[in-house]
Amino acid sequence: MEPIAPCRLMAAKRSYAVRRVNLAECTHIVKTAFRPEPGDLVLARVQAIGSHKRIELPNGRKATLHEGDEILLAYGNRYAPDQYEAYVPETLEPCHMVAAGGIAACAVSWHDRLSGPTGIEPVGVLCHSDGTAANLKQFALPTVACPMPAAVFGVFGTSMNAGKTATAASLVRGFAASGYTVGAVKVTGTAAGGDPWLMQDSGAAHVLDFTDGGLATTFGTPLDTIVGTTRNLLRTLHRSNCDVAVVEIADGLYQDETRQLAASPLMHSLFDSVVFAAGDALGAVAGVNRLEAHGYQVLGISGSVMRSPLAVREATVNLNIPAYSLADLQSPVTISGIMDNTVSGRLVAAQ
């Protein structure tokens, strides 16, 4: 372990994933004989530019990367069928930046449309003065003891790019337009700012994601940790005076953490009802059937399937729930119907 100059850390391109970190607490660096854990902070040097040519900064700007740049990332596993499968390495060996939001890992497979990962060489893991590694969990929001928002709605989906985020943002827009103070939470996935900022732009009064709970990614994270983090994020929204919450669950129902969450009675108990985003009719029917088998009240389907009237017809003829376009979900008329059909439908919008 050796001291690290504050000016060097400030000069590095800092990623979205480490936005909550107080760099003044990161006074030292370990360069050898260290096994990183998910969430550990790493100062790395860009070796070779791959498919990720830019890094997302905490303010949302996408900064162009150059070979030789020093960047601040967090170690994390990644599961993204349209992007990378990657795992935290066992040593401080050269590895990859596998997400623009700032994730360091060893990529083992990737979608064939990608050119390959951006190569990085860790300079070292950041540490506190006592020698303990600086980890995102140390900078997480505090645990709060209070109720959750009066009504909580979830958005599940078939896969990446099924339209979950657009569906969740439209729900946020609809609730805000109906007079509710709405909060938004993304509880699984890989650190990235695009989705939270879309929720904010759609009218959310307060937006949080799993990185606020101290997680760089959620792939490989134990179920009880994700559920506990979700509960605390929802309580934090209530403390911020949100009376409605929209929760997005990343990836599809076959992704392991999402599968476990969907089947968890503890997770199920958090939601009044859910909307399911799908890319096609078969996925919509299969996903809704699975969620209903787990006891969820599924309000309707949405997502990219809505681009095809024929696909919508195929889905709805096999389901007894409606299909919602993004415009539908943004409509106070639809929101009124949704609230009437949920346990918390008696909640009165703020005037």
Side-chain angles (χ1 to χ4, degrees), residues 6-340:
C7 60
R8 185 174 183 181
L9 294 182
M10 295 302 295
K13 292 176 178 175
R14 182 178 182 178
S15 67
Y16 172 86
V18 302
R19 74 192 190 286
R20 295 186 58 86
V21 174
N22 180 5
L23 292 180
E25 297 183 23
C26 304
T27 57
H28 289 73
I29 193 166
V30 172
K31 296 184 175 182
T32 59
F34 185 88
R35 179 168 183 163
E37 298 289 338
D40 284 347
L41 307 182
V42 58
L43 177 67
R45 186 175 299 109
V46 177
Q47 285 188 312
I49 303 297
S51 58
H52 285 114
K53 297 174 173 57
R54 298 188 295 171
I55 186 171
E56 185 176 47
L57 305 180
N59 64 5
R61 188 173 77 83
K62 300 289 183 66
T64 300
L65 291 174
H66 300 277
E67 292 182 7
D69 281 352
E70 290 192 340
I71 54 180
L72 284 172
L73 312 174
Y75 279 107
N77 304 308
R78 186 169 194 201
Y79 180 108
D82 290 355
Q83 288 268 328
Y84 291 98
E85 175 192 6
Y87 300 89
V88 175
E90 296 184 356
T91 67
L92 297 183
E93 63 191 89
C95 57
H96 308 105
M97 188 182 86
V98 296
I103 303 301
C106 286
V108 298
S109 72
W110 50 87
H111 196 283
D112 69 3
R113 70 178 175 82
L114 301 178
S115 60
T118 290
I120 60 173
E121 179 183 13
V123 176
V125 168
L126 302 186
C127 295
H128 303 287
S129 58
D130 63 1
T132 58
N135 189 286
L136 293 187
K137 63 187 177 183
Q138 299 158 1
F139 303 93
L141 288 168
T143 300
V144 295
C146 64
M148 298 181 194
V152 180
F153 298 88
V155 178
F156 286 92
T158 52
S159 64
M160 287 186 71
N161 299 320
K164 296 183 298 296
T165 301
T167 296
S170 294
L171 276 170
V172 167
R173 183 67 179 167
F175 282 118
S178 300
Y180 296 98
T181 302
V182 56
V185 184
K186 186 168 183 177
V187 297
T188 62
T190 302
D195 293 355
W197 287 310
L198 177 60
M199 302 302 172
Q200 182 176 321
D201 292 344
S202 298
H206 199 59
V207 183
L208 299 170
D209 68 15
F210 51 89
T211 63
D212 293 297
L215 302 172
T217 72
T218 54
F219 177 39
T221 301
L223 175 65
D224 58 349
T225 299
I226 299 176
V227 174
T229 299
T230 301
R231 294 175 69 88
N232 194 55
L233 293 178
L234 287 170
R235 290 187 178 116
T236 303
L237 287 184
H238 180 269
R239 179 164 284 190
S240 299
N241 298 316
C242 295
D243 44 30
V244 173
V246 176
V247 179
E248 180 186 353
I249 299 91
D251 299 306
L253 289 180
Y254 282 160
Q255 196 273 347
D256 194 44
E257 282 73 36
T258 304
R259 177 188 59 77
Q260 293 182 59
L261 287 171
S264 167
L266 289 175
M267 195 69 175
H268 174 216
S269 69
L270 300 181
F271 297 119
D272 290 287
S273 52
V274 301
V275 176
F276 190 74
D280 58 30
L282 181 59
V285 174
V288 169
N289 288 342
R290 174 164 293 203
L291 288 176
E292 289 181 338
H294 288 315
Y296 289 87
Q297 179 188 18
V298 184
L299 293 170
I301 61 170
S302 190
S304 56
V305 68
M306 300 302 298
R307 296 173 179 170
S308 169
L310 287 177
V312 171
R313 189 186 310 168
E314 289 177 358
T316 53
V317 76
N318 288 284
L319 295 169
N320 60 354
I321 56 175
Y324 294 118
S325 68
L326 299 185
D328 291 335
L329 294 175
Q330 295 174 29
S331 166
V333 174
T334 302
I335 295 300
S336 177
I338 286 174
M339 294 304 283
D340 287 342

